[in-house]
């Protein structure tokens, strides 16, 4: 019997039959495992490592959810299937020749739902029920749409994880539910949500005792007279927004910044803080050094994403590299400047884009160039097709210039070289660009990148050394620290690979242990336990532990197999649980500028800060939910830089309306 075609195929295409790899028609993300996993993607249901589709239309999402929620028919004996066929034929005859009783079976072999492709006849009343339900559904959808349109709510709000939760909760209350009032929203409900977040804060504090945490400081200036720093604290379980501070006039004041950072460290708990990440401005560097000298157990680090992006920016200043990057920009500007050319490009690239508008910084230029290289043949074919040749758009001088560029061997030679040289560094940037623990991988990543660049140039020094000098300058003068070397030393996938371990890793481990072993007892225990790790003795040398070196994340490996050396285990888990960057948080800067620009009395400011606290932490919680808080091992060679980056996440929405602060309830009052 031939199986019916799955209804999901209308919304995806098969791109690799061998690996059962399918591509979503809406967001163009690809998955291995066939159409079954694609259903969870389209239904926006988290399942293992499947990322929900952000572009799927609501009606498609709802249809796929119905498919998933419909129980599969159980297999029935052949004889019973034959009997059912006869009954179906009899029922068909009854439709024209009079009414007959329905003899269909309803036992354990009975059908639990209609076939999507071959629906059975249903009772005459069923269409009316379905029509009534659909009408109610359509009316509810329209009411929600009207609420969005009337209040200028961004459509992106419908992608929020809280959107469906809200709808489900309302439906659960049944008819007669009355939505909360204006007063209730701005008073008691705001307090309740804030209290829930504080309860979560307490759970995080318990987690910090085990995994340690990193304080993230994201600062910026509006270019005039306002400078703001946003402070949050992160661990593998999630990130918590603490507060924002107006530092205008103090941006270069090392003492002021040190005292501010110190107050945060004391609030979080010195014993919990492994590192503080800030930008690499001179005032922050010195404030970080003051912090480390006073609190010996913690580290200050610059943002790794910023430092690696700066390497790419400096590499882009080389004459040949700058030229090909600029030519790539010319191509993308042309492709995206006219609707006709954009549609043609998407037709020939199979819907693939050439730009990544949500990724800022230098890496976006390199990723665009990489996309152009991947689509080389398709872009050339586009300009050679009759549809393009006959169009007035392609006869324009600008189009002719682009066509000429796309057929220049010199351009493609430089483009392929630029991609080959930059991609090793972009892979590291992709590893560290997020809130997940990457501390155990950055040291190895830099070494691998340098080796890949040298190998591409076949060891010819005059070709690879200019790139190496830029990488070494950023690595040695800004980014490298004993903490990263110790993390590499404690990463079993690196340490037990004799080709990767080096003297700097060993020295970094020793230096870090001296700082983090705060008592003489800890130092003695680590000294005893160190050889057990070196020689993979006991539980560390079992078959499962050996397999886990590459199959488990470093922190999970230590948690699972390091129980015989508990002091070193505790320190290792803290080190390996830290991120390397702070720039993944796409804060909506206008929100914080609004908080710190407009003058308000104390009661208004407290309430606005309450809303800001709730808003920022709910946004961070949604990010944590998107990756389920799972730490996975990172394999450098398998990093796909074309996949979605954490910095491409939707930024938090601005909080610009403060009219709700007018006439606050008396219990919220305070002196001006």
């Amino acid at each position: 019997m031939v199986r019916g075609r799955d209804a999901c195929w209308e919304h995806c295409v098969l791109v690799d039959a061998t690996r059962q790899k399918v591509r979503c028609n809406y967001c163009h993300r690809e998955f291995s495992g066939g159409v079954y996993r694609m259903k969870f993607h389209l239904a926006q249901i988290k399942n293992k490592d499947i990322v929900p589709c952000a572009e799927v239309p609501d009606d498609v999402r709802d249809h796929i959810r119905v498919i998933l929620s419909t129980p599969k028919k159980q297999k029935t004996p052949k004889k019973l299937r034959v009997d059912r066929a006869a009954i179906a034929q009899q029922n068909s005859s009854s439709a024209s020749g009079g009414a007959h009783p329905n003899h269909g079976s309803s036992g354990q072999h009975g059908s639990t739902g209609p076939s999507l492709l071959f629906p059975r006849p249903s009772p005459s009343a069923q269409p009316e029920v379905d029509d009534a339900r659909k009408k109610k559904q359509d009316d509810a959808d329209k009411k929600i749409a009207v609420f969005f349109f009337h209040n200028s709510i961004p459509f992106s709000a419908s992608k929020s994880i809280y959107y469906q939760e809200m709808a489900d909760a309302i439906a659960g209350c049944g008819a007669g539910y009355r939505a909360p009032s204006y007063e209730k929203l701005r008073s008691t409900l705001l307090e309740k949500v804030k209290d829930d977040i504080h309860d979560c804060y307490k759970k995080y504090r318990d987690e910090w005792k085990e995994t340690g945490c990193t304080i993230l400081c994201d600062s910026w200036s509006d270019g005039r007279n306002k400078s703001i720093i946003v402070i949050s604290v992160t661990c593998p379980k999630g990130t918590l927004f603490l507060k924002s501070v107006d530092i205008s006039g103090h941006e270069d004041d090392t003492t002021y910044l040190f005292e501010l950072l110190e107050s945060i460290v004391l609030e979080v708990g010195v014993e919990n803080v492994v590192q503080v990440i800030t930008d690499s401005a001179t005032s922050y560097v010195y404030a970080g050094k003051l912090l480390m000298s006073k609190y010996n157990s913690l580290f200050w680090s610059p943002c790794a994403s910023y430092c690696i992006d700066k390497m790419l920016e400096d590499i882009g200043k080389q004459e040949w590299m700058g030229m090909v990057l600029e030519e790539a920009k010319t191509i993308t500007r042309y492709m995206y400047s006219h609707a006709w050319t954009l549609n043609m490009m998407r037709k020939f690239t199979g819907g693939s884009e050439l730009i990544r508008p949500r990724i800022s910084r230098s890496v976006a230029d390199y990723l665009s160039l990489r996309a152009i290289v991947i689509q080389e043949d398709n872009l050339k074919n586009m300009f050679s097709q009759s549809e393009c040749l006959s169009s007035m758009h392609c006869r324009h001088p600008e189009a002719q210039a682009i066509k000429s560029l796309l057929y220049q061997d010199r351009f493609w030679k430089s483009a392929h070289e630029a991609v080959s040289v930059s991609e090793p560094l972009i892979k590291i940037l992709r590893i560290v660009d997020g809130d997940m623990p990457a501390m155990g991988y950055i040291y190895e990543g830099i070494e691998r990148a340098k080796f890949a660049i040298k190998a591409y140039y076949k060891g010819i020094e005059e070709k690879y050394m200019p790139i190496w000098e830029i990488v070494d300058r950023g690595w040695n003068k800004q980014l490298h620290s004993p903490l990263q070397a110790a993390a590499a030393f404690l990463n079993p996938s690196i340490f037990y690979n004799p080709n990767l371990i080096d003297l700097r890793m060993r020295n970094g481990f020793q230096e870090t242990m001296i700082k983090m072993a705060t008592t003489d007892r800890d130092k003695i225990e680590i000294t005893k336990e160190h050889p057990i790790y070196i020689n993979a003795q006991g539980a560390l040398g079992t078959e499962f532990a050996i397999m886990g070196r590459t199959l488990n994340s470093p922190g999970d490996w230590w948690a699972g197999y390091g129980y015989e050396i508990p002091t070193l285990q505790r320190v290792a888990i803290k080190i390996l649980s830290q991120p390397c960057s702070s720039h993944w948080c796409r804060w909506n800067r206008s929100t914080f500028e609004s908080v710190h620009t407009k003058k308000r009395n104390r009661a208004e400011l407290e309430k606005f800060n309450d809303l800001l606290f709730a808003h920022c932490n709910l946004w961070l919680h949604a990010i944590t939910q998107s990756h389920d808080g799972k730490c996975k091992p990172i394999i450098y060679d398998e990093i796909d830089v074309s996949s979605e980056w954490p910095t491409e996440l939707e930024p938090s929405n601005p909080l610009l309306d403060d009219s709700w602060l007018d006439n606050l309830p008396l219990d919220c009052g305070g002196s001006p």
Side-chain angles (χ1 to χ4, degrees):
M1 185 180 75
V2 178
R3 294 182 63 186
R5 180 175 171 83
D6 196 301
C8 188
W9 283 116
E10 296 177 17
H11 313 291
C12 61
V13 294
L14 182 67
V15 295
D16 186 340
T18 304
R19 299 174 57 196
Q20 283 293 294
K21 197 169 189 178
V22 291
R23 179 194 298 136
C24 175
N25 289 348
Y26 304 106
C27 69
H28 307 294
R29 184 183 293 275
E30 295 181 359
F31 291 100
S32 297
V35 74
Y36 178 73
R37 297 180 79 233
M38 180 59 68
K39 289 178 184 177
F40 288 90
H41 171 69
L42 292 169
Q44 295 181 336
I45 297 173
K46 298 188 190 73
N47 183 41
K48 296 181 180 178
D49 58 345
I50 298 175
V51 178
C53 181
E55 307 298 334
V56 60
D58 290 347
D59 59 330
V60 175
R61 178 200 63 202
D62 296 340
H63 177 56
I64 301 299
R65 284 182 176 178
V66 170
I67 294 174
L68 287 171
S69 63
T70 302
K72 293 182 179 178
K73 292 191 291 184
Q74 298 181 22
K75 291 184 178 180
T76 56
K78 183 176 180 180
K79 184 178 182 302
L80 187 54
R81 291 201 298 269
V82 173
D83 291 344
R84 283 199 181 153
I87 293 168
Q89 186 176 0
Q90 181 181 353
N91 288 344
S92 177
S93 300
S94 70
S96 58
H100 294 275
N102 185 353
H103 299 288
S105 170
S106 60
Q108 67 178 28
H109 299 297
S111 173
T112 56
S115 166
L116 289 167
L117 296 174
F118 308 104
R120 295 192 198 87
S122 55
S124 58
Q126 190 63 34
E128 295 179 9
V129 174
D130 290 343
D131 287 346
R133 183 176 181 179
K134 186 177 185 307
K135 186 176 180 181
K136 290 179 70 175
Q137 174 80 40
D138 290 344
D139 185 56
D141 288 349
K142 190 168 68 175
K143 290 288 194 298
I144 293 172
V146 167
F147 183 77
F148 269 69
F149 305 154
H150 176 255
N151 293 284
S152 301
I153 299 173
F155 296 144
S156 59
S158 64
K159 299 177 183 179
S160 166
I161 65 169
Y162 307 107
Y163 185 56
Q164 188 60 43
E165 287 181 9
M166 174 186 69
D168 291 343
I170 293 172
C173 292
Y177 170 77
R178 295 193 64 80
S181 67
Y182 171 86
E183 288 298 336
K184 193 173 183 181
L185 281 168
R186 71 173 185 162
S187 55
T188 56
L189 286 176
L190 178 56
E191 286 297 319
K192 286 181 179 179
V193 172
K194 190 181 75 168
D195 289 344
D196 288 345
I197 294 170
H198 277 297
D199 290 340
C200 184
Y201 187 3
K202 294 173 184 175
K203 294 178 182 176
Y204 279 168
R205 292 194 76 94
D206 292 336
E207 186 70 20
W208 297 342
K209 294 174 184 177
E210 302 296 324
T211 65
C213 62
T214 292
I215 294 173
L216 306 176
C217 303
D218 191 11
S219 58
W220 68 85
S221 174
D222 63 2
R224 297 185 295 275
N225 58 359
K226 184 67 65 178
S227 294
I228 295 168
I229 184 170
V230 177
I231 300 167
S232 52
V233 57
T234 188
C235 70
K237 290 294 184 183
T239 305
L240 187 77
F241 165 79
L242 293 182
K243 62 181 175 181
S244 64
V245 180
D246 182 353
I247 58 171
S248 302
H250 301 287
E251 306 92 328
D252 301 320
D253 187 339
T254 298
T255 303
Y256 173 87
L257 294 175
F258 160 71
E259 291 174 350
L260 174 61
L261 295 177
E262 181 184 34
S263 67
I264 303 299
V265 168
L266 294 175
E267 178 183 342
V268 173
V270 179
E271 68 283 0
N272 297 325
V273 180
V274 175
Q275 69 171 343
V276 177
I277 295 179
T278 71
D279 70 30
S280 53
T282 303
S283 54
Y284 283 102
V285 173
Y286 284 115
K289 289 181 178 178
L290 287 174
L291 200 62
M292 287 193 292
S293 65
K294 184 168 183 178
Y295 302 100
N296 189 57
S297 63
L298 61 80
F299 292 82
W300 169 85
S301 303
C303 175
S305 291
Y306 173 83
C307 293
I308 297 169
D309 193 71
K310 186 68 169 63
M311 294 178 195
L312 290 166
E313 181 182 333
D314 290 344
I315 291 170
K317 291 176 182 176
Q318 294 188 86
E319 185 177 353
W320 72 272
M321 181 70 83
M323 181 178 178
V324 74
L325 287 173
E326 191 56 43
E327 288 172 332
K329 287 181 186 177
T330 303
I331 294 171
T332 56
R333 276 196 296 265
Y334 169 74
M335 294 294 181
Y336 286 82
S337 61
H338 306 285
W340 187 88
T341 44
L342 180 57
N343 289 332
M344 279 291 290
M345 180 210 79
R346 286 172 174 166
K347 176 181 176 181
F348 279 87
T349 62
S352 296
E353 301 291 345
L354 300 182
I355 62 173
R356 306 285 286 274
R358 291 182 183 173
I359 295 183
S360 57
R361 308 167 310 190
S362 302
V363 69
D365 295 337
Y366 288 97
L367 290 175
S368 290
L369 179 61
R370 182 180 183 274
I372 290 171
V373 168
I374 291 172
Q375 299 294 338
E376 177 180 351
D377 292 338
N378 292 329
L379 294 174
K380 288 179 179 178
N381 289 338
M382 169 182 161
F383 281 94
S384 65
Q385 296 297 312
S386 57
E387 185 179 357
C388 187
L389 294 172
S390 61
S391 170
M392 59 175 290
H393 294 283
C394 288
R395 292 197 293 270
H396 193 276
E398 184 183 8
Q400 292 300 309
I402 297 298
K403 180 179 179 181
S404 175
L405 179 60
L406 289 173
Y407 281 92
Q408 285 184 24
D409 290 338
R410 190 271 314 158
F411 167 74
W412 290 112
K413 181 177 180 297
S414 296
H416 281 272
E417 181 180 356
V419 169
S420 297
V421 167
S422 62
E423 186 152 336
L425 288 170
I426 294 175
K427 281 190 174 185
I428 308 171
L429 187 55
R430 180 65 184 83
I431 290 171
V432 302
D433 192 66
D435 63 330
M436 297 303 288
M439 186 63 71
Y441 297 98
I442 186 170
Y443 192 102
E444 177 206 13
I446 291 290
E447 294 302 315
R448 279 180 172 268
K450 290 176 63 179
F451 178 81
I453 294 167
K454 181 180 179 179
Y456 174 78
Y457 285 120
K458 296 179 171 58
I460 301 173
E461 282 197 20
E462 56 265 30
K463 291 189 175 182
Y464 74 77
M465 279 308 295
I467 309 292
W468 270 34
E469 288 171 0
I470 293 171
V471 174
D472 286 340
R473 184 167 62 244
W475 175 241
N476 295 326
K477 291 186 177 180
Q478 280 191 312
L479 193 52
H480 177 265
S481 82
L483 185 65
Q484 294 156 353
F489 185 89
L490 292 167
N491 182 341
S493 68
I494 297 174
F495 178 77
Y496 293 113
N497 185 336
N499 297 322
L500 298 177
I501 198 73
D502 66 15
L503 187 62
R504 292 179 72 186
M505 286 186 194
R506 295 180 183 277
N507 290 339
F509 169 77
Q510 298 289 345
E511 188 175 340
T512 301
M513 291 304 103
I514 290 172
K515 284 176 65 69
M516 296 189 69
T518 54
T519 66
D520 290 339
R521 180 181 177 82
D522 284 347
K523 290 173 182 172
I524 292 170
E525 291 302 315
I526 289 175
T527 303
K528 291 178 180 178
E529 295 171 356
H530 183 217
I532 298 174
Y533 173 59
I534 296 291
N535 298 308
Q537 296 173 348
L540 303 182
T542 63
E543 182 180 355
F544 285 113
I546 292 171
M547 287 193 297
R549 293 171 186 174
T550 53
L551 295 178
N552 301 129
S553 68
D556 287 345
W557 185 87
W558 274 96
Y561 305 109
Y563 52 85
E564 292 179 340
I565 46 175
T567 307
L568 187 57
Q569 179 193 46
R570 186 177 69 251
V571 176
I573 289 173
K574 283 194 171 186
I575 292 173
L576 294 165
S577 297
Q578 307 314 312
C580 297
S581 301
S582 61
H583 279 258
W584 61 272
C585 276
R586 295 188 68 205
W587 297 115
N588 197 305
R589 296 182 175 184
S590 60
T591 294
F592 298 99
E593 289 165 5
S594 173
V595 170
H596 295 290
T597 299
K598 189 172 180 179
K599 291 185 177 180
R600 299 181 175 87
N601 65 38
R602 191 176 70 186
E604 291 173 343
L605 188 59
E606 285 179 359
K607 272 297 172 186
F608 199 90
N609 279 328
D610 285 347
L611 178 60
L612 182 66
F613 180 78
H615 169 75
C616 291
N617 281 301
L618 290 171
W619 179 68
L620 290 170
H621 176 69
I623 294 175
T624 302
Q625 290 294 101
S626 69
H627 55 57
D628 297 325
K630 295 178 181 177
C631 303
K632 300 176 183 178
I634 296 172
I635 301 173
Y636 180 85
D637 293 330
E638 295 181 4
I639 296 297
D640 180 10
V641 299
S642 64
S643 63
E644 187 178 45
W645 290 47
T647 44
E648 290 184 279
L649 293 169
E650 290 280 350
S652 57
N653 290 319
L655 293 176
L656 300 178
D657 177 28
D658 59 0
S659 61
W660 62 279
L661 293 170
D662 298 337
N663 302 315
L664 284 170
L666 291 176
D667 60 350
C668 296
S671 57

